[in-house]
Amino acid sequence: MKFTIYGSGCAKCKQLTANAEEAARALGLDYEVEKVTDVNDIIDAGIMRTPALAVDGEIAVEGKVASADDIKKLLG
């Protein structure tokens, strides 16, 4: 499973990354994390608001920091 975090690397982006990793660990999933900070790459991905999280290329969260529990629901 691949998580892609879109954002500038701000505190909210870091929290979203931590929550996604916590959710994946809780579910016993193998995962990798990619961070996309380039504004043009973020726009090319169709992201209008950061932070955003994509799971295996599908945008799951945009414009907010989802909790680990919310991400677990998305993954489960």
Side-chain angles (χ1 to χ4, degrees):
M1 180 169 288
K2 182 176 181 180
F3 296 131
T4 308
I5 307 291
Y6 295 92
S8 63
C10 65
K12 288 182 179 182
C13 300
K14 291 175 181 160
Q15 186 61 56
L16 183 59
T17 303
N19 292 353
E21 290 177 337
E22 180 184 331
R25 282 194 304 270
L27 295 171
L29 302 173
D30 288 329
Y31 67 93
E32 63 179 287
V33 175
E34 176 187 14
K35 295 181 182 178
V36 178
T37 57
D38 183 87
V39 175
N40 292 322
D41 290 341
I42 293 169
I43 292 168
D44 289 346
I47 306 292
M48 294 295 142
R49 296 171 299 156
T50 60
L53 166 67
V55 179
D56 292 333
E58 295 290 321
I59 297 167
V61 177
E62 185 177 353
K64 67 177 184 173
V65 178
S67 70
D69 284 338
D70 288 342
I71 296 169
K72 276 196 276 190
K73 290 175 192 164
L74 293 170
L75 301 176

